[in-house]
Amino acid sequence: MGSLSIWHWLIVLVIVMLVFGTKKLGNMGGDIGKAVKGFKDGVKGEDDTTKTPPAAPSQVADKSTIDVETKEKNKL
């Protein structure tokens, strides 16, 4: 009586699929997979040099964005 049989788990799975839908469950699984991969990469400590460089200004799709370099003022 204390343990759940395979039939109990199948009923729970069917109810979850009816409530959330298979597409949403698939998206959540993909998001969790990406998060785990990102966490593993962060723990591994990969250098940023192996990743692709940011897009050049001529390759940016949004031309209304202004790239500004800020400089810090030293107060004496």
Side-chain angles (χ1 to χ4, degrees):
M1 178 125 185
S3 65
L4 296 176
S5 70
I6 188 71
W7 296 109
H8 290 106
W9 288 113
L10 286 176
I11 292 171
V12 169
L13 179 64
V14 168
I15 292 172
V16 168
M17 288 177 63
L18 287 174
V19 170
F20 292 108
T22 57
K23 186 175 181 180
K24 191 168 188 176
L25 289 175
N27 290 342
M28 288 187 336
D31 291 342
I32 291 172
K34 287 178 187 176
V36 169
K37 184 175 187 262
F39 178 76
K40 285 182 180 180
D41 289 344
V43 170
K44 194 184 303 183
E46 290 185 353
D47 294 336
D48 290 337
T49 57
T50 60
K51 296 182 181 177
T52 58
S58 63
Q59 296 175 346
V60 176
D62 186 12
K63 300 289 183 180
S64 64
T65 304
I66 300 172
D67 189 17
V68 178
E69 184 177 324
T70 60
K71 295 182 181 178
E72 188 175 318
K73 292 182 179 181
N74 292 332
K75 295 182 180 179
L76 297 176

